[in-house]
């Protein structure tokens, strides 16, 4: 058995301003009843103007480092759809602000699957001896890319960040992460997209339409893709571990929509009370969603050392991914 990545710290952060469904209904043709019944979301948090994704990432990263015995990292991986700048990556600035100048630092872009991809990448850094301790952060400020006139996306997404610390350890100790399953289908790239702002738009030589600067999603098609892909990826990762869903204590799916999460649990045969999440409080925070759900569950004392946790996500790309881990013995946050 080779060495494994072991989870040793977790932390989350949401910006201070909670935005209720009622507040959105004041400016959009929607209602609290529609949003609750169709998505399970009651509120989300929006960053104040002037707050960047890196600000949220630093806050979550600080908490994760504090909760770990390591307290430091020699690599920082940031999963985000909303980087501070197109260039350079957000991770080096986050590392520097955390006092980790000199650490390897890079971003991972897999939209809502970003955290699972980043976790796999960070585990690889540890497995290959490139790093001993890695800080993995999912951080987003979707409020900055949402079309204020699009009710179908404006009611779903929120801002936030979640982070974990991984350290080198043994595959059979509590906190061990893996195996993983990752996949993509670029044929579906138009289903979840921001069309303008990249090389394609520059090549076309024309000014983008205002709506092309915003995040766009074909909700209905994405919905069923999300259930089917997360279920298949979950089964694949369980198969790799020689487990079935009976061997899982908690399912932590990407917090996209409560109806998606319920369909996924039904599809996998996971009881409702084992389906863990916080979508009512934070909405869909894309790459931050899974680590934020883990941080909130840890703060609530829901997860016990040795619990088997299945993480699964689906997002733009299209991308999907799943990971297994056993929960470590962490100090209460
Ligand atoms: O994070 C990456 C992955 N993302 C996801 O997984 C999100 C997946 N998709 C969804 O969560 C859902 O598809 C939505 C929440 C986006 C939409 O819910 P839906 O139940 O699929 O609604 P729909 O698109 O079928 O629309 C039903 C009706 C439509 O009106 P008509 O055509 O029936 O008159 C929409 O225009 O609901 C309308 N509608 C709304 N009404 C009130 C759409 N958004 C809203 C809204 N408030 N916010």
């Amino acid at each position: 058995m080779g060495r494994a990545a072991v989870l040793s710290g977790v932390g989350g952060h949401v910006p201070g301003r909670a935005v209720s469904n009622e507040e959105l209904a004041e400016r959009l043709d929607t209602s609290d009843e529609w949003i609750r019944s169709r998505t399970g979301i009651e509120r989300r948090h929006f960053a104040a103007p002037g707050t960047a994704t890196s600000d949220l990432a630093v806050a979550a990263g600080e908490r994760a480092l504090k909760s770990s015995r390591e307290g430091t990292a020699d690599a920082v991986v940031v999963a985000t759809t909303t980087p501070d700048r197109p260039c350079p990556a957000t991770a080096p600035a986050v590392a520097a602000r955390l006092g980790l100048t000199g650490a390897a630092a890079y971003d991972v872009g897999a939209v809502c699957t970003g955290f699972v991809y980043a976790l796999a990448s960070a585990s690889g850094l540890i497995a290959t001896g490139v790093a001993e301790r890695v800080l993995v952060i999912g951080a987003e400020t979707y409020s900055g890319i949402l079309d204020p006139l699009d009710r179908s996306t404006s009611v779903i997404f929120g801002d936030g960040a979640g982070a974990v610390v991984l350290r080198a350890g043994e595959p059979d100790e509590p906190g061990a992460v893996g195996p993983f399953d990752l996949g993509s289908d670029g044929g579906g790239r138009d289903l979840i997209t921001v069309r303008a702002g990249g090389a394609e738009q520059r090549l076309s030589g024309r000014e983008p339409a205002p709506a092309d600067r915003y995040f766009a999603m074909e909700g209905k098609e994405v919905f069923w893709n999300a259930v089917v892909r997360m279920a298949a990826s979950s089964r694949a990762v369980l198969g790799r571990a020689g487990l079935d869903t009976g061997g899982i204590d908690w399912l932590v799916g990407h917090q996209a929509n409560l109806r998606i999460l319920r369909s996924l649990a039904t599809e996998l045969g996971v009881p409702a009370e084992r389906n863990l999440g916080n979508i009512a409080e934070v909405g869909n925070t894309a790459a931050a969603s899974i680590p934020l759900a883990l941080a909130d569950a840890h703060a609530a004392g829901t997860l016990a050392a040795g619990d088997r946790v299945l993480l699964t996500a689906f997002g733009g790309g299209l991308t999907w991914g799943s990971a297994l881990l056993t929960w470590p013995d962490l100090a209460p946050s």
Side-chain angles (χ1 to χ4, degrees):
M1 291 212 284
R3 61 188 211 155
V6 173
L7 198 148
S8 70
V10 65
H13 173 78
V14 287
R17 194 165 103 73
V19 177
S20 66
N21 293 342
E22 286 88 353
E23 185 178 335
L24 291 180
E26 284 168 17
R27 64 172 174 83
L28 287 164
D29 181 14
T30 188
S31 66
D32 177 49
E33 199 283 326
W34 192 96
I35 302 169
R36 274 177 201 257
S37 62
R38 296 293 187 114
T39 71
I41 298 167
E42 295 171 19
R43 64 191 63 80
R44 74 288 295 144
H45 296 251
F46 285 168
T51 300
T53 295
S54 59
D55 296 320
L56 307 186
V58 166
E62 249 166 16
R63 286 190 180 157
L65 288 169
K66 210 178 228 173
S67 90
S68 76
R69 282 190 195 100
E70 284 63 46
T72 186
D74 36 35
V76 177
V77 186
V78 174
T80 187
T81 323
T82 49
D84 284 6
R85 301 179 183 179
C87 168
T90 304
V94 170
R97 284 175 60 191
L98 289 169
L100 302 173
T101 299
Y106 59 94
D107 290 2
V108 166
V111 197
C112 297
T113 319
F115 179 75
V116 178
Y117 267 68
L119 199 65
S121 169
S123 297
L125 294 180
I126 288 175
T128 52
V130 173
E132 295 298 315
R133 299 146 302 193
V134 187
L135 175 63
V136 188
I137 306 174
E140 302 281 15
T141 47
Y142 261 63
S143 58
I145 60 168
L146 293 172
D147 181 345
L149 301 177
D150 181 357
R151 64 180 179 176
S152 70
T153 52
S154 286
V155 304
I156 300 178
F157 290 91
D159 301 340
V164 301
V165 177
L166 300 180
R167 64 166 170 83
E170 303 300 321
D172 54 0
E173 66 174 302
V177 177
F180 288 89
D181 173 71
L182 304 178
S184 77
D185 175 6
R189 73 172 183 157
D190 287 338
L191 297 180
I192 298 173
T193 191
V194 179
R195 287 192 167 76
E200 245 181 28
Q201 174 222 320
R202 285 195 297 278
L203 286 172
S204 79
R206 59 177 170 75
E207 269 302 296
D212 287 352
R213 299 182 193 276
Y214 291 121
F215 179 87
M217 179 172 72
E218 299 288 338
K220 236 182 176 39
E221 218 170 321
V222 168
F223 189 109
W224 290 111
N225 259 297
V227 177
V228 169
R229 295 297 192 184
M230 286 197 283
S233 178
S234 296
R235 288 198 185 97
V237 85
L238 286 166
R240 243 164 248 174
L243 291 171
D244 58 28
T245 41
I248 292 304
D249 295 301
W250 302 105
L251 169 64
V252 185
H254 163 51
Q255 305 291 294
N257 181 320
L258 192 59
R259 286 159 52 222
I260 291 178
L261 293 165
R262 286 185 177 149
S263 299
L264 172 68
T266 304
E267 181 73 19
L268 292 173
V270 172
E273 64 276 13
R274 296 277 147 188
N275 197 358
L276 214 156
N278 57 358
I279 190 167
E281 301 301 320
V282 299
N284 180 341
T285 58
S289 138
I290 286 180
L292 198 47
L294 291 176
D296 283 357
H298 175 59
T302 312
L303 295 160
D307 280 357
R308 275 204 166 271
V309 186
L310 167 60
L311 312 179
T312 188
F314 172 83
L318 302 171
T319 53
W320 54 87
S322 302
L324 284 169
L325 62 99
T326 49
W327 196 250
D329 190 6
L330 292 183
S333 60

